[in-house]
Amino acid sequence: FKMRKEIVRLSPDILHCNDLNTLMFAYALPQNIEIVYDAHELYLESRSGIIKSFWSVVEKTLLRKVKFVIVPQIDRLYYFYFRYKLPLSKYMLIENFPNRVMDLSKDFFKIISKYNIDVNHKQVVTYLGAITPEREIELVLKAVREIDNILFFIIGNGTENYKKHLNNLIMDLKIQKKVFMYPAIPNKEVLHAVNSSDIGVCFYNERHFNSYFCASNKLYEYLNLGVKVLTNNTAGVARVVKHGENGFCCDCITVDEVRKGLITLLNMKNFVPTDYYWSNQEEHFLSIYK
């Protein structure tokens, strides 16, 4: 209520609401304030029970007050269109494209002393992000065990129990010399790590549409920098990762399929370049406010 009072006091021309939990501020605002709903997530699809029912009413009610709904992926856009029956002209496709960054290192894992690992003549596979069971890291660990000349770096944060479980699995599989797990790195280092990789692991396997339609900025970062992507065949990913051209989409996520994907990518010589940069859609985004 304090936030809403402050919005009324400021009386902006446009209120940009990031995600559903901030769209609530649009309730009963003066009509001269235009509302833009930036729907990064399919918020309802990862909720259940009374919480989902509550947010469903909020979204259905307030969506009719907005000027535009920004959606980051085309299948998500049609999800909103079919669910709420608003005109297509209300929706703006603004994808998760990253900025273009120049002068990136290709030796991140060599020159950072804390890694102190010899990567010469090895293929570097990276996973960057939240360390959770849904990211299928365990299957990748079992797959890399039987592949020579490969190093797998797992970089991110997770619960202590789950990280301990992964470390125990690494010991049991006797792959301590090819798999290394580290805490999350600063944002300014992420692209250097991506650019120093040969393959990026990017699985989305939560059992809801928010995951199934996901195409994250991490995916675009890998592809823009010429890093082949190992992923699963979901709607959001399959529109971006072209099987056999810049990545491998596992039809089912099993150890055998992951191993097959890694071997295919290790032998892939020709990479079809991509150009998923923010500058390609910046003017489209700014048109919302004109």
Side-chain angles (χ1 to χ4, degrees):
F1 291 106
K2 288 180 180 178
M3 180 66 77
R4 187 187 169 282
K5 183 178 179 180
E6 183 66 10
I7 292 168
V8 172
R9 185 189 70 80
L10 291 169
S11 188
D13 297 313
I14 297 176
L15 181 67
H16 187 118
C17 299
N18 282 289
D19 286 322
L20 183 54
N21 55 347
T22 65
L23 186 63
M24 290 186 70
F25 296 130
Y27 176 72
L29 285 177
Q31 291 189 355
N32 63 305
I33 299 177
E34 294 181 329
I35 309 299
V36 173
Y37 175 29
D38 202 344
H40 301 283
E41 307 284 342
L42 296 182
Y43 203 86
L44 303 180
E45 294 297 335
S46 55
R47 270 70 182 176
S48 60
I50 193 170
I51 297 294
K52 181 174 182 177
S53 298
F54 169 76
W55 286 113
S56 179
V57 172
V58 171
E59 190 166 65
K60 183 177 181 180
T61 302
L62 296 182
L63 209 65
R64 276 137 180 82
K65 301 170 67 68
V66 305
K67 179 184 180 183
F68 288 116
V69 181
I70 298 174
V71 189
Q73 197 271 338
I74 189 63
D75 299 293
R76 291 172 183 246
L77 187 152
Y78 280 100
Y79 168 97
F80 274 98
Y81 175 62
F82 295 142
R83 185 181 183 101
Y84 295 115
K85 309 298 190 295
L86 294 177
L88 270 176
S89 58
K90 282 270 189 182
Y91 299 98
M92 299 286 279
L93 178 64
I94 305 293
E95 298 178 90
N96 290 312
F97 293 172
N99 286 322
R100 190 187 300 269
V101 180
M102 309 300 289
D103 301 322
L104 291 171
S105 168
K106 292 191 74 72
D107 298 316
F108 179 81
F109 299 105
K110 259 189 220 178
I111 63 179
I112 302 299
S113 59
K114 62 184 177 181
Y115 293 126
N116 195 27
I117 297 161
D118 181 13
V119 299
N120 290 324
H121 312 298
K122 301 286 178 66
Q123 295 280 302
V124 173
V125 180
T126 57
Y127 170 79
L128 293 152
I131 299 176
T132 66
E134 294 80 13
R135 296 296 178 250
E136 305 297 350
I137 297 169
E138 294 180 51
L139 293 185
V140 180
L141 293 178
K142 293 173 183 177
V144 302
R145 175 176 56 172
E146 299 176 17
I147 302 175
D148 295 329
N149 298 320
I150 194 171
L151 298 176
F152 182 32
F153 292 88
I154 307 163
I155 302 174
N157 292 327
T159 65
E160 289 304 315
N161 283 342
Y162 188 62
K163 289 193 294 183
K164 183 178 179 181
H165 168 72
L166 290 180
N167 275 316
N168 289 338
L169 182 59
I170 291 168
M171 299 286 286
D172 291 343
L173 294 172
K174 297 180 172 57
I175 50 176
Q176 303 95 312
K177 292 185 178 180
K178 61 168 58 178
V179 178
F180 310 93
M181 187 160 57
Y182 296 97
I185 56 179
N187 284 337
K188 64 182 181 181
E189 295 182 10
V190 168
L191 286 181
H192 292 280
V194 170
N195 201 45
S196 303
S197 307
D198 298 292
I199 297 171
V201 174
C202 204
F203 285 116
Y204 298 98
N205 203 26
E206 289 93 341
R207 274 64 168 178
H208 51 68
F209 280 127
N210 191 42
S211 174
Y212 185 69
F213 294 142
C214 185
S216 68
N217 57 348
K218 176 169 58 179
L219 199 65
Y220 298 115
E221 288 168 350
Y222 279 131
L223 296 176
N224 285 346
L225 294 173
V227 179
K228 296 168 281 191
V229 175
L230 176 67
T231 185
N232 53 316
N233 199 3
T234 62
V237 168
R239 289 182 178 275
V240 180
V241 177
K242 304 303 180 186
H243 193 74
E245 295 183 4
N246 53 25
F248 185 95
C249 297
C250 298
D251 289 325
C252 55
I253 308 175
T254 64
V255 175
D256 287 341
E257 186 77 353
V258 171
R259 185 187 303 111
K260 175 184 174 183
L262 286 170
I263 292 171
T264 299
L265 295 177
L266 291 172
N267 294 324
M268 184 185 293
K269 302 302 181 185
N270 298 318
F271 183 96
V272 177
T274 61
D275 193 27
Y276 298 121
Y277 288 110
W278 176 252
S279 57
N280 294 332
Q281 61 181 2
E282 186 173 10
E283 287 303 316
H284 184 52
F285 173 72
L286 292 176
S287 71
I288 295 169
Y289 303 100
K290 293 178 180 177

